[in-house]
Amino acid sequence: MRGVLFDGKQAVVVDDLEIRDPGPGEVLVDVAAAGLCHSDLSVIDGTIPFPRPVVLGHEGAGVVEAVGAGVSHVVPGDHVSLSTLANCGACAECDRGRPTMCRKAIGMPGQPFSRGGDPVYQFASNSAFAERTVVKAVQAVKIPKEIPLTSAALIGCGVLTGVGAVLNRARVDRGDSVVVIGTGGVGLNVLQGARIAGALRVVAVDNNPAKEDVARQFGATDFLTDAAQVRGLLPDGADHVFECVGRVELVRAAIDLLDRHGQAVLLGMPAADAEASFVPAQLFLDKSVLGCRYGSSRPQRDIRLYADLYAQGRLLLDELVTRTYPVEDFAKAVEDAEAGRVARGVLTF
């Protein structure tokens, strides 16, 4: 079968991947569509270290082909959105409703694929850049068949991360002020999360002025091309600032832009050894710096919620898909993403 394989030197489309059958508690999914996310590019450029060879992709949707023993919440033929969160469901963190903190879901990549008899790793417990993938049952969330799979694919990462950061981690409230630095796929979902939460002032910051129209479509009330301009709109600072780029100087800017009792939420992915600096005295006014893994999400609950919000017209999905590409055009999709020509490119099979 076809898939995008990274061997440590280059990412190429191959057609000779094999995948094993689903075991107990697993689901085999025919992948229909998968979003190209910055995290996939970060594996290629080394920002995210990962064992190789690996099948890339982690933001996908498709149709259940088969289920392993003990799986009852989905059946063959169901449409599913895939999460990357292969949590165990039984540890103390899962029991507390914090599956993103499950230690068994981090740092143990599986090898359900093979090529020429040699095992191949699975990225983010997902590998959606393949015609078929095997995931844990908890990762396959049934969605209505009315949602286009090209749109549903984006729920599993960009939407969960961005909207979840607003609703679950920062808990933005009605009337709050929000600044979003970076209006890529995650940033746009932070914007619409702020809109859904009822934020009164939502300031988008991006150095590309061409992104203003789409930022306003998703919920921005104001658009700026430089974070230094924010104080002109919010003299006292913002209640919440979301850094969605992953640059250390923007982490510093996010903290500097906070009002008293404000929160800086870090969503961008800098290099693993990158260090950021700030003035600690700023935090004495009850300011805080928050990390956020995967939108602090509970995927089985949140994906269904976002699907319902989409059905009501309150959450935008179709509008996130700037362009679709057959998987064979992976290189073109990467080129467009790196050039900032798309909010989200989606690979199709």
Side-chain angles (χ1 to χ4, degrees):
M1 67 178 185
R2 295 171 297 166
V4 179
L5 184 77
F6 177 59
D7 63 4
K9 297 180 180 179
Q10 59 181 346
V12 296
V13 179
V14 300
D15 61 5
D16 57 351
L17 288 173
E18 297 181 349
I19 192 166
R20 62 171 173 78
D21 293 332
E26 294 182 333
V27 178
L28 175 65
V29 177
D30 284 325
V31 179
L36 176 59
C37 175
H38 182 73
S39 294
D40 300 303
L41 303 180
S42 294
V43 174
I44 297 172
D45 68 21
T47 302
I48 297 178
F50 205 87
R52 296 89 76 174
V54 56
V55 178
L56 297 175
H58 65 286
E59 186 180 66
V63 181
V64 174
E65 179 179 323
V67 300
V71 178
S72 59
H73 75 291
V74 292
V75 298
D78 282 345
H79 286 200
V80 292
S81 177
L82 301 177
S83 97
T84 69
L85 198 59
N87 60 296
C88 72
C91 68
E93 297 294 350
C94 288
D95 192 52
R96 291 177 182 139
R98 300 193 300 223
T100 57
M101 296 296 102
C102 175
R103 286 176 170 81
K104 294 184 178 180
I106 303 173
M108 295 182 291
Q111 295 175 302
F113 301 98
S114 61
R115 187 183 187 215
D118 296 324
V120 176
Y121 285 101
Q122 183 177 44
F123 178 53
S125 303
N126 188 306
S127 288
F129 292 171
E131 289 186 89
R132 293 173 15 243
T133 191
V134 168
V135 297
K136 290 182 66 173
V138 71
Q139 296 176 254
V141 184
K142 184 177 178 179
I143 58 173
K145 293 183 178 180
E146 291 75 21
I147 302 179
L149 289 171
T150 49
S151 299
L154 304 186
I155 302 177
C157 179
V159 176
L160 278 179
T161 299
V163 178
V166 174
L167 302 182
N168 300 328
R169 186 66 168 130
R171 297 185 181 275
V172 172
D173 201 358
R174 296 179 300 276
D176 283 356
S177 58
V178 172
V179 174
V180 181
I181 302 176
T183 59
V186 170
L188 290 177
N189 281 295
V190 174
L191 289 172
Q192 71 171 332
R195 170 177 50 78
I196 291 168
L200 184 63
R201 199 78 180 265
V202 182
V203 182
V205 180
D206 199 293
N207 61 10
N208 183 354
K211 293 185 176 182
E212 179 172 359
D213 288 346
V214 69
R216 290 185 180 276
Q217 180 184 20
F218 274 78
T221 59
D222 302 272
F223 184 89
L224 301 171
T225 56
D226 189 337
Q229 300 169 331
V230 170
R231 289 283 181 175
L233 296 176
L234 301 170
D236 293 329
D239 296 313
H240 311 274
V241 181
F242 295 83
E243 199 284 330
C244 305
V245 180
R247 287 168 43 191
V248 294
E249 66 271 24
L250 295 178
V251 171
R252 170 65 180 266
I255 297 169
D256 288 345
L257 290 173
L258 293 176
D259 194 359
R260 298 184 178 194
H261 206 272
Q263 300 176 325
V265 184
L266 309 185
L267 298 178
M269 179 65 71
D273 59 352
E275 296 183 0
S277 64
F278 61 94
V279 180
Q282 294 185 57
L283 302 187
F284 297 156
L285 292 172
D286 283 2
K287 301 178 184 181
S288 56
V289 182
L290 304 180
C292 183
R293 181 170 190 258
Y294 205 39
S296 301
S297 298
R298 291 167 289 173
Q300 284 288 337
R301 173 189 180 275
D302 290 350
I303 288 176
R304 291 192 182 98
L305 170 63
Y306 300 153
D308 289 342
L309 290 172
Y310 168 82
Q312 294 177 6
R314 298 171 61 190
L315 182 117
L316 305 181
L317 290 179
D318 305 336
E319 295 81 358
L320 285 168
V321 183
T322 310
R323 181 175 174 182
T324 60
Y325 307 80
V327 68
E328 289 81 8
D329 289 346
F330 172 73
K332 174 61 176 172
V334 170
E335 178 186 331
D336 287 348
E338 291 181 331
R341 290 191 284 265
V342 294
R344 215 36 149 221
V346 176
L347 302 179
T348 58
F349 293 88

